[in-house]
Amino acid sequence: MIKNFINILYTKKIFLIIVFFIFASCEQQKTKNETSNTKVVIKVFSSLTCPHCANFHQEIILKLKKDYIDTNIVKFEHHGFPLDLAALNAEKILNCFVDKEKRFDFLTQIYKKQKKWASGSDINIINDSIKIIGKESGLSSDSMDKCLNNKKIKNQILDERIDAQKEYKVSSTPTIYVNKKQYKGKHDYKLFKKELDKSLTSSNE
């Protein structure tokens, strides 16, 4: 009887292992399909203390999120281009996030509350204000302190800033690219969506 019980447990274990690998395989294929179906990429080079960057995110990116970004029709990429120490520190904490949705939520809130945290000359007070927003998005105080003091994260952000200047000729924020074409139009949802739809049409031809 004990032997039969052990055999049953072993069979269940094998079954669960098979189910796990099937699920993992499906998820990998799903991710692969989502990536391959995304033919248009919106790259936004921005400083988190830049009011025009906040406006572009709120008035255009948030409106595109449900129908374009979440459905993997287009891919949105935020590229940090800090213009001051406050923006650099906010960017460091943004880099703390591993979860994609929580990272996007923090980015949205940091823009939405920009006037509250980005003003002032005391960087310690600014850091504390950024950390409050970080906590609301799911980060602990300790993890944010580690990110703020992490030289590797700092160098990575600054290196990407240099690369953006060289490769994309970024000199001001926001600088927006739809695939390899720079968008220089007004920060108006209808106008931007029109340009985006043109890129989608041409990519499908």
Side-chain angles (χ1 to χ4, degrees), residues 12 16 20 26 33 55 107 129 159-160:
K12 285 185 176 179
L16 289 173
F20 171 78
C26 289
N33 289 340
N55 181 70
L107 181 64
S129 298
D159 286 344
E160 287 177 356

Side-chain angles (χ1 to χ4, degrees), residues 6 21 33 39 82 96 106 144 147 149 163 167-168 195:
I6 292 172
F21 277 106
N33 289 340
K39 297 179 180 178
C96 279
F106 175 76
M144 286 186 282
C147 288
N149 295 312
D163 290 341
E167 186 174 351
Y168 292 94
E195 289 298 314

